[in-house]
């Protein structure tokens, strides 16, 4: 009779791809409107430091975001208006496209907070 060697036991730890959590490697996702605001300000500060954005434009955008933070009523509409304003600044070459894209991405997350939460 022929005998087969026993099947090797399965590894006791799951492979790294078995995780059910979404991958956030290389990126930290803000979890509140305040964190989005903080990242927004940091992106602008970096752009000003690189002289990609003039300080007045950055200040105006920070003021617009601060207004969003103070007034939660109609926040989704205000976020959409600010995203349009950023797109216009990019079109007019007053804001680099990459910086505009980062700010827009942050505002997209802020818009999600405005439609799902009001306790920020």
């Amino acid at each position: 009779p022929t005998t087969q060697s026993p099947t090797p036991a399965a590894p006791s730890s799951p492979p790294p791809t078995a995780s059910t959590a979404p991958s956030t490697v290389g990126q930290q996702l803000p979890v509140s409107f305040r964190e989005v605001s903080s990242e927004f300000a940091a992106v602008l500060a970096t752009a000003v430091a690189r002289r990609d954005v003039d300080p007045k434009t950055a200040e105006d955008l920070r003021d617009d975001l601060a207004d969003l933070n103070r007034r939660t009523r109609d926040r989704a509409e205000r976020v959409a208006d600010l995203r349009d304003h950023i797109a216009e600044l990019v079109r007019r070459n007053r804001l680099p496209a990459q910086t505009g894209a980062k700010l827009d991405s942050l505002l997209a997350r802020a818009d999600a907070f405005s439609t799902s939460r009001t306790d920020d």
Side-chain angles (χ1 to χ4, degrees), residues 1-2 15 30 38 74 84:
T2 60
S38 178
D74 301 327
D84 289 344

Side-chain angles (χ1 to χ4, degrees), residues 10-20:
S12 60
S13 63
T17 57
S19 173
T20 58

Side-chain angles (χ1 to χ4, degrees), residues 52-72:
D52 289 342
V53 177
D54 72 276
K56 175 69 174 130
T57 299
E59 182 181 339
D60 289 346
L61 288 171
R62 278 191 296 269
D63 288 347
D64 289 345
L65 188 68
D67 187 47
L68 274 173
N69 214 2
R70 282 191 299 273
R71 296 193 225 169
T72 58

Side-chain angles (χ1 to χ4, degrees), residues 79-96:
V79 168
D81 289 345
L82 184 51
R83 291 176 78 186
D84 289 344
H85 181 64
I86 288 169
E88 179 62 27
L89 290 172
V90 169
R91 279 191 294 276
R92 291 175 26 206
N93 293 320
R94 294 192 55 209
L95 190 66

Side-chain angles (χ1 to χ4, degrees), residues 36-54:
V36 168
S37 299
S38 178
E39 284 195 37
F40 190 96
V43 168
L44 284 174
T46 300
V48 169
R50 286 190 317 244
R51 296 184 178 170
D52 289 342
V53 177
D54 72 276

